[in-house]
């Protein structure tokens, strides 16, 4: 398995990790109907998009398409970072589970996805 496919497989695994994480250890409080519920829903949508982009990059061999999808993956990583902070902020109460676990979990996974996508873009440009 070459580097490009391994990096995109890592993005797929990151998407799966987000889906599993927000439904298990980084869950929101079950009684929350406000901003945290929106954060969870959007995190799952972003994770599915990330996994689809990773699978598309593994399946397609055209350099131009892979570059465009790689840039999209990098943007998805940025969106994952901004999701609990700006786009759909979690509650601001430091004693809440979503503030202590969900928020940092999504930020860390977003940073990892952005770094993986950036490395994939660099590998893609180096091959050209």
């Amino acid at each position: 398995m070459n580097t490009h496919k391994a990096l995109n497989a890592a993005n797929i695994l990151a998407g799966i990790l987000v889906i599993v994480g927000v439904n298990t250890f980084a869950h929101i409080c079950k009684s929350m109907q406000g901003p945290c519920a929106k954060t969870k829903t959007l995190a799952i949508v972003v994770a599915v998009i990330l996994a689809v982009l990773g699978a598309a990059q593994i399946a397609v061999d055209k350099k131009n398409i892979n570059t465009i999808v790689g840039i999209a993956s990098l943007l998805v990583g940025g969106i994952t970072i901004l999701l609990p902070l700006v786009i759909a902020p979690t509650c601001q109460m430091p004693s809440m589970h979503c503030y202590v676990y969900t928020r940092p979990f999504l930020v860390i996974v977003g940073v990892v996805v952005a770094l993986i996508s950036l490395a994939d873009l660099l590998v893609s440009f180096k091959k050209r």
Side-chain angles (χ1 to χ4, degrees), residues 114-128:
L115 291 174
I116 289 170
S117 298
L118 185 63
D120 183 50
L121 281 172
L122 294 175
V123 166
S124 178
F125 285 138
K126 192 174 183 180
K127 284 184 181 179
R128 286 185 174 183

Side-chain angles (χ1 to χ4, degrees), residues 14 17-18 77 80-82 84-85 100-116:
L17 177 66
V18 168
T80 307
I81 295 168
L82 294 176
L85 303 174
V100 176
Y101 295 103
T102 308
R103 184 178 174 161
F105 169 70
L106 290 174
V107 170
I108 291 168
V109 171
V111 168
V112 169
V113 166
L115 291 174
I116 289 170

Side-chain angles (χ1 to χ4, degrees), residues 1 3-22 24-25 43-44 46-58 73 76 80 105-106 108-110 112-114 116-117:
M1 183 189 267
T3 307
H4 173 71
K5 289 184 180 183
L7 289 170
N8 286 296
N11 268 346
I12 293 170
L13 290 175
I16 293 169
L17 177 66
V18 168
I19 292 170
V20 170
V22 297
T24 57
F25 64 91
I44 291 172
V46 167
V48 169
I49 292 170
L50 178 64
V52 168
L53 289 174
Q57 277 195 296
I58 290 174
S73 295
V76 168
T80 307
F105 169 70
L106 290 174
I108 291 168
V109 171
V112 169
V113 166
I116 289 170
S117 298

Side-chain angles (χ1 to χ4, degrees), residues 30-68:
K30 297 198 184 335
S31 63
M32 295 297 287
Q33 297 298 324
C36 296
K38 185 177 175 184
T39 304
K40 177 184 176 183
T41 304
L42 290 177
I44 291 172
V45 169
V46 167
V48 169
I49 292 170
L50 178 64
V52 168
L53 289 174
Q57 277 195 296
I58 290 174
V60 177
D61 286 336
K62 296 189 182 229
K63 301 286 183 196
N64 293 336
I65 294 173
N66 278 334
T67 302
I68 292 169

Side-chain angles (χ1 to χ4, degrees), residues 76-94:
V76 168
I79 289 170
T80 307
I81 295 168
L82 294 176
L83 186 64
L85 303 174
V86 177
I87 298 170
T90 58
C91 64
Q92 299 300 312
M93 199 179 314

